[in-house]
Amino acid sequence: MQFHTTSDYAIRTVMHLAMHPDRCCSANEIEQQMGVPAQYLHKVTAKLKQAGLIQTVQGNGGGYRLYTDASTISLYDILSLTEQTLEINGCLVEKHFAHVMRRRPVLCGGYTATSVRC
């Protein structure tokens, strides 16, 4: 499965905010440090905000920040906002892989990799 560009940028945005839980991050900062173009950032942050994953803070020092702890946000939470289907392949659907995705945090203590075999 190849993710849409919007999914890629949504994941990058959440990861950046997760790496800076103690402060708000400006749109310009996210654009520059995570390579998210401005035209996508607005679209992505609107979806993430509507889903209750991030919040916006107005005024001096404002920007974006996670609405909850990063360890509670799964890859499934993000992809379900940006992808039409999450079916990767038949064997993963049969093994209820989506249920596993819902429990995996996007960023919790660094990057981790897991493999699923059919």
Side-chain angles (χ1 to χ4, degrees):
M1 169 183 211
Q2 184 173 356
F3 297 132
H4 289 101
T5 303
T6 303
S7 296
D8 178 25
Y9 293 146
I11 294 166
R12 291 184 198 196
T13 300
V14 171
M15 286 181 60
H16 185 77
L17 297 177
M19 291 186 288
H20 303 284
D22 55 332
R23 63 179 178 84
C24 290
C25 299
S26 70
N28 189 45
E29 175 185 338
I30 297 168
E31 291 167 14
Q32 290 181 358
Q33 292 189 13
M34 299 305 284
V36 179
Q39 68 268 21
Y40 274 102
L41 187 60
H42 179 70
K43 178 180 180 179
V44 163
T45 54
K47 287 184 180 208
L48 294 170
K49 183 180 176 185
Q50 183 178 13
L53 298 178
I54 68 168
Q55 62 183 169
T56 57
V57 177
Q58 301 295 321
N60 190 21
Y64 302 100
R65 65 179 174 204
L66 293 182
Y67 190 73
T68 111
D69 187 79
S71 65
T72 66
I73 301 173
S74 69
L75 187 56
Y76 180 85
D77 294 332
I78 300 168
L79 294 177
S80 64
L81 301 173
T82 57
E83 296 293 327
Q84 291 179 356
T85 180
L86 294 177
E87 291 185 15
I88 298 170
N89 67 35
C91 68
L92 295 179
V93 172
E94 291 170 14
K95 291 184 178 196
H96 307 287
F97 184 66
H99 176 69
V100 173
M101 285 178 62
R102 287 185 186 104
R103 297 181 302 171
R104 298 263 187 227
V106 173
L107 181 71
C108 186
Y111 299 98
T112 59
T114 56
S115 63
V116 176
R117 295 180 185 219
C118 296

